[in-house]
Amino acid sequence: MGIAADIIIIVVAALIGALIAQRLKQPLMLGYIAAGIVVGPYSGGIITISDMHEIELLAEIGIALLLFALGLEFSLKELKPVRKIALIGTPIQILLTIAFGYGVGRFLGWSPITSLWFGSLISLSSTMVTLKTLMSHGWMGTLSSRVMIGMLLVQDLAVVPMMIILPQLTDPTAGLPIIGVAVVKSVTFLLLMFYIGTRVLPWLLSSVAQWNSRELFILTITALGLGIGYATYLFGLSFALGAFVTGLVLSESDYGHQALSDIIPLRDIFGLLFFTSIGMLLDLNFLSSNLDTILLLLFVISLGKGIIFSLLSFAFSYKNIVPLAVGLGLFQIGEFSFVLASVGIETKSIDSNTLSLVLATSVLSMAATPFVSSLTTPIYKLRKKFFRHEPLQAENIPKAGLSDHVIIAGGGRVGQYIAHVLKELNVSFVIVDINHQVMTQCKKAGFPVIFGDMCQPVVLNAARIRQAKLLLITPPSVVDSHTIVKQVELLKPGLPIVARTEGLEQAKDLYNEGVYMVVLPEMEAGLEIARQALLSLQFPATMIQQYTDSVRRQHYAPIYESHDDYNLITRLNSAKDLLEISWVKLEPYSPLINKTIYESAIRTITGATIVGVIHNDIFRPNPEALYPFADGDLVAIVGSAKERDAFMELADSCKEKYCFINDSTK
């Protein structure tokens, strides 16, 4: 069966590896890499791949589809907060890493050219491994993930000039014209893609979408991603670069979200081939015979790259956990290093021994990434325990000082929204945040803000924690929340604390530590969406209220049990909802048409009270008893669920005939 049999072997082996990885609670890509090692040509197993080169070619499609999908879900707006470190910091990182690798190569006795190639190979990090790791940890969307993705994108773009420039270093004079031609090609390609992407591609997708064929739509976006990528390759540039730029252009169209959802399954399948092909490249015999050198290189490269990334992040004003997360997330050697290394072999700039060392180190660094990256939280927690000195700066603090105020820990979008509400209600508050960009935003908005880490006692004292009435913890970080709660308990026991988190287990832990209330944004959003859906389906308001109350009561049980006033407020709200105003539209066939309120005996028959009528867009509050109902009237009634149901039955109202409108959706 040829390559078909190889693909079957890879898929089955990858499935087994993925099941084992899932059982061990590890990222699936580790199972894919392990499967590649088992079925690879160097394992000596019973079942091995016969044509590894063909699999490698298919794996290139996986890289292209990954970058195509990345372009589809990537927004230039998201890159805006990290544009400085991405566009300026990444070239600096590449140059520093090349210099670092050059020094390591010279220390090992390699030639200057080989050492320079070695530094270039290790300067690139893995986009695919990093993305998969971020997804598995649930870190997508965080500031540190945006920094990493921004830097990775610029690294991927840097592969093209590196592939052009490095082979010419043996004869720089002869290589200058080639470099000039490559620059012209790159600029021409980008301009052409901008024109096609803004004019031709949206028109094409719109035309295909009008046929309402999902199969044809999937085929179209796949052909665009791979076809333009291949055209880019024929143009003399990177296949993966063309796919990424295509996705980036399509992301700005009206069909970007649908294209992304359709391409993800295909991306994952070909991504499986990529990771297994990485595992197949690992020669276990070479690994065992050169284990000392490989482990030394792995340690030195990981440590060196991690320090470079962390220091650069810190230099670009990223504080808190971001430098640590970036350093532990981008230390590995990337997949594009293999592409660059193949160019080095073709041009005889590096030998097979150097390639094998880089390859083995790359595979091990990729496999170690999920483990090393997961150390971010415990190391950050340990750092906070021993290093408590952070800069402290305050802006817009009232001259009279802070007293009976609310402390908002975290000045992001949630914190600033709360600040706007409190400011309008003239409630005294102060925001505390360690992010300099956030502090600048709060300063411009006129909010009182303290630049510092809420986990530190000195910052809590600066926020006058002992004089505060309430503490709001807006970031969902469990580590920060636990640390803040413990520090507050030492300085002002019993202070009411409202925290935000993302999971029920985390919420239970915070409740056990004495937090007054833990808010789950996903649960609250889900309840509101469910409430609106049930209202649209015309479920009785009482049933909806009872359901949402039971869910909240179960979640916020500690509040109900320990605070009678909270329980009373909840009951009052429930009573209000039982007597809410409901609107019923009278259709032409309603028996109430042309009858007065007195003649209809509505109060006597149903118990409901009519509090208003909208007739010809004119609102009549508390209409008189002699008011005659007319076609199209909107009647406002107040009463219990039973009374409202009785009125609708009297008016011959049902969901097929009437538009039942709750006043909360007016």
Side-chain angles (χ1 to χ4, degrees):
M1 294 178 65
I3 189 174
D6 290 341
I7 293 176
I8 294 172
I9 293 173
I10 289 174
V11 172
V12 173
L15 173 62
I16 297 173
L19 291 174
I20 296 174
Q22 183 70 23
R23 183 69 176 177
L24 298 176
K25 297 182 179 180
Q26 300 301 323
L28 298 184
M29 64 181 179
L30 292 183
Y32 299 156
I33 293 175
I37 295 175
V38 172
V39 302
Y42 304 110
S43 64
I46 300 176
I47 301 178
T48 58
I49 299 301
S50 60
D51 195 342
M52 185 173 168
H53 178 67
E54 295 293 334
I55 301 301
E56 291 176 351
L57 295 178
L58 291 175
E60 289 186 23
I61 298 179
I63 299 175
L65 288 175
L66 170 78
L67 291 181
F68 179 51
L70 180 61
L72 284 171
E73 62 184 333
F74 183 76
S75 173
L76 293 176
K77 295 179 181 178
E78 294 183 358
L79 184 59
K80 188 176 181 180
V82 298
R83 63 185 182 277
K84 290 184 178 179
I85 191 171
L87 300 177
I88 301 175
T90 306
I92 296 175
Q93 172 267 316
I94 292 175
L95 293 175
L96 290 176
T97 309
I98 289 176
F100 172 72
Y102 179 85
V104 173
R106 296 296 289 163
F107 178 79
L108 295 176
W110 296 342
S111 67
I113 294 297
T114 302
S115 300
L116 187 62
W117 270 85
F118 177 74
S120 301
L121 293 175
I122 69 171
S123 67
L124 305 173
S125 301
S126 175
T127 301
M128 181 170 277
V129 171
T130 303
L131 285 176
K132 286 290 186 180
T133 302
L134 291 173
M135 292 175 186
S136 64
H137 289 324
W139 292 347
M140 291 297 291
T142 62
L143 180 59
S144 54
S145 71
R146 292 180 182 179
V147 171
M148 284 188 266
I149 291 174
M151 299 187 77
L152 285 168
L153 288 177
V154 177
Q155 281 189 359
D156 294 340
L157 295 175
V159 172
V160 178
M162 292 172 70
M163 292 174 62
I164 298 169
I165 295 173
L166 286 174
Q168 313 305 324
L169 293 178
T170 54
D171 189 359
T173 304
L176 286 176
I178 299 176
I179 296 174
V181 171
V183 171
V184 173
K185 284 184 177 181
S186 300
V187 174
T188 303
F189 166 72
L190 292 175
L191 292 176
L192 188 62
M193 275 304 302
F194 176 78
Y195 177 81
I196 295 176
T198 55
R199 297 173 182 267
V200 179
L201 296 187
W203 170 82
L204 176 61
L205 289 179
S206 176
S207 301
V208 173
Q210 290 177 2
W211 287 324
N212 294 322
S213 172
R214 184 169 185 178
E215 182 179 356
L216 186 59
F217 186 82
I218 295 174
L219 180 60
T220 302
I221 61 173
T222 306
L224 286 175
L226 298 180
I228 296 178
Y230 183 65
T232 309
Y233 168 75
L234 296 177
F235 198 64
L237 299 175
S238 169
F239 174 40
L241 173 63
F244 169 73
V245 174
T246 306
L248 188 63
V249 170
L250 289 178
S251 68
E252 302 299 326
S253 70
D254 296 333
Y255 306 94
H257 295 294
Q258 184 61 41
L260 176 62
S261 64
D262 288 338
I263 205 67
I264 283 177
L266 193 61
R267 176 202 68 182
D268 291 340
I269 292 296
F270 279 93
L272 175 152
L273 294 176
F274 167 76
F275 283 111
T276 51
S277 68
I278 295 299
M280 288 188 292
L281 292 173
L282 190 61
D283 187 344
L284 297 180
N285 293 326
F286 179 86
L287 179 64
S288 60
S289 59
N290 297 274
L291 186 61
D292 294 341
T293 304
I294 293 172
L295 291 179
L296 178 62
L297 283 176
L298 177 63
F299 175 76
V300 172
I301 293 172
S302 302
L303 182 63
K305 286 188 68 175
I307 292 175
I308 290 173
F309 276 108
S310 297
L311 291 179
L312 270 175
S313 301
F314 189 82
F316 278 83
S317 301
Y318 291 99
K319 305 294 191 298
N320 214 359
I321 200 172
V322 175
L324 182 63
V326 174
L328 296 179
L330 299 180
F331 71 92
Q332 76 286 129
I333 303 175
E335 57 271 3
F336 281 113
S337 298
F338 306 147
V339 180
L340 190 60
S342 64
V343 176
I345 289 292
E346 291 176 3
T347 59
K348 298 182 180 179
S349 301
I350 57 176
D351 55 26
S352 58
N353 185 65
T354 304
L355 175 63
S356 298
L357 284 174
V358 173
L359 181 62
T361 308
S362 301
V363 174
L364 292 179
S365 68
M366 288 182 180
T369 297
F371 299 105
V372 176
S373 182
S374 65
L375 298 176
T376 301
T377 298
I379 292 178
Y380 178 66
K381 187 175 181 180
L382 189 65
R383 185 188 75 86
K384 283 185 171 295
K385 183 178 181 181
F386 292 101
F387 299 96
R388 300 176 179 270
H389 302 289
E390 295 280 359
L392 185 63
Q393 181 182 352
E395 297 287 346
N396 299 325
I397 302 298
K399 293 182 179 180
L402 296 168
S403 180
D404 292 333
H405 59 292
V406 177
I407 300 177
I408 304 174
R413 287 177 296 180
V414 176
Q416 291 185 38
Y417 182 81
I418 296 171
H420 279 290
V421 174
L422 296 180
K423 188 175 182 179
E424 290 181 2
L425 297 175
N426 294 320
V427 177
S428 178
F429 69 92
V430 63
I431 296 175
V432 183
D433 203 296
I434 191 61
N435 188 303
H436 188 269
Q437 295 176 340
V438 169
M439 180 185 178
T440 302
Q441 295 172 358
C442 294
K443 181 180 177 181
K444 290 180 179 178
F447 299 145
V449 58
I450 296 175
F451 179 67
D453 190 347
M454 274 291 291
C455 299
Q456 301 176 11
V458 63
V459 178
L460 289 171
N461 288 325
R464 304 296 295 273
I465 189 69
R466 292 183 176 87
Q467 287 75 35
K469 296 175 62 176
L470 178 67
L471 170 62
L472 308 178
I473 305 176
T474 60
S477 171
V478 182
V479 177
D480 288 345
S481 297
H482 281 294
T483 307
I484 294 172
V485 170
K486 290 179 180 178
Q487 293 294 339
V488 172
E489 188 65 24
L490 295 175
L491 297 174
K492 187 178 181 179
L495 176 68
I497 301 175
V498 178
R500 170 189 170 199
T501 189
E502 295 180 346
L504 285 174
E505 293 300 323
Q506 299 168 351
K508 291 178 182 178
D509 292 339
L510 290 173
Y511 276 135
N512 292 334
E513 292 186 2
V515 172
Y516 170 76
M517 177 179 286
V518 181
V519 178
L520 292 173
E522 291 82 0
M523 186 198 77
E524 294 294 342
L527 277 179
E528 180 59 24
I529 293 174
R531 192 180 77 86
Q532 293 294 337
L534 294 175
L535 283 173
S536 298
L537 295 173
Q538 298 185 8
F539 274 74
T542 50
M543 180 185 298
I544 300 173
Q545 189 64 37
Q546 289 171 0
Y547 173 74
T548 55
D549 280 350
S550 65
V551 173
R552 286 194 173 96
R553 180 175 292 276
Q554 181 180 3
H555 171 65
Y556 300 120
I559 309 302
Y560 286 101
E561 294 169 359
S562 59
H563 294 79
D564 293 334
D565 54 346
Y566 191 92
N567 207 347
L568 176 60
I569 292 173
T570 303
R571 290 176 180 175
L572 290 175
N573 284 333
S574 298
K576 171 185 72 66
D577 291 326
L578 292 177
L579 296 174
E580 66 181 358
I581 297 176
S582 298
W583 295 83
V584 179
K585 182 179 180 181
L586 299 183
E587 299 293 346
Y589 41 77
S590 172
L592 296 180
I593 299 298
N594 297 323
K595 285 187 178 181
T596 65
I597 297 177
Y598 175 78
E599 292 172 341
S600 303
I602 292 172
R603 183 68 181 273
T604 303
I605 298 174
T606 67
T609 301
I610 296 179
V611 296
V613 175
I614 296 179
H615 177 73
N616 292 335
D617 297 330
I618 298 176
F619 177 62
R620 301 171 181 266
N622 298 318
E624 64 276 7
L626 297 179
Y627 173 80
F629 291 113
D631 177 17
D633 279 356
L634 279 175
V635 182
I637 60 171
V638 172
S640 66
K642 183 178 180 181
E643 292 167 344
R644 285 178 292 181
D645 290 342
F647 174 80
M648 286 188 287
E649 184 178 352
L650 178 65
D652 194 24
S653 175
C654 61
K655 62 183 178 181
E656 288 82 8
K657 299 179 181 179
Y658 286 90
C659 176
F660 180 79
I661 307 172
N662 187 280
D663 67 330
S664 63
T665 60
K666 281 176 48 181

